[in-house]
Amino acid sequence: MIREIQASDFEAISEIYNEYILHSTATFEVEPVTAEEMERRMGEIPLRCPYFVWTDEDGRVQGYAYAHLWQERAAYARTWETTVYVRRGCAGRGIGSALMRRLIEECRRAGCHALVACITAENADSRRMHERLGFRQVSLFKEVGWKFDRWLDVTDYELIL
């Protein structure tokens, strides 16, 4: 089930995100974050932009997606960046796609004009999912991230709403 985020979700969100920090190149963060830090970072996003979680039948958060301002300057106010993560072991079940479809629709309703997704170039699953949702690759930055003792490329995808 997809629902709007609640304050009690930050523990699960930080658990999900920390798995990616520690074991993947999907994020360029290298140190785990606490639930309190995640809430501090993300706490105001739902006041301006959509933020959703996917819960299983037991109410446990299995994924999350949100949009936030892409850039701070006023001229960019209707261009938002998207983020989506799914709990390890839940990938391939359509959770990320369902979250993103809901996020896209809510961004459209909120008057957003363009969505940007910044994806590590080697993250083929995320790239395919975004392409299936209508995003198109608009950039490729070579060797801009350093994690796990190697350089990583980043690609940006865009969806005009």
Side-chain angles (χ1 to χ4, degrees), residues 124 126-137 157:
S126 184
R127 292 176 68 171
R128 278 191 298 273
M129 178 191 71
H130 282 83
E131 289 168 358
R132 283 193 309 270
L133 294 168
F135 284 76
R136 297 292 169 248
Q137 183 179 351
Y157 280 71

Side-chain angles (χ1 to χ4, degrees), residues 35 50 58-59 65 69 96 100 111 123:
D58 297 323
L69 295 177
M100 283 298 296
N123 189 344

Side-chain angles (χ1 to χ4, degrees), residues 100-121:
M100 283 298 296
R101 281 191 295 276
R102 175 77 182 273
L103 186 67
I104 290 165
E105 185 54 38
E106 291 301 319
C107 289
R108 187 177 281 119
R109 281 191 194 127
C112 180
H113 175 71
L115 293 175
V116 175
C118 181
I119 304 169
T120 307

Side-chain angles (χ1 to χ4, degrees), residues 1 5 18 20 34 44 68 82 85 89 111 124 126 129 140 159:
M1 173 180 97
I5 189 173
N18 284 336
Y20 286 90
T34 64
E44 292 189 21
H68 60 90
T82 63
Y85 288 99
S126 184
M129 178 191 71
L140 175 63
L159 176 66

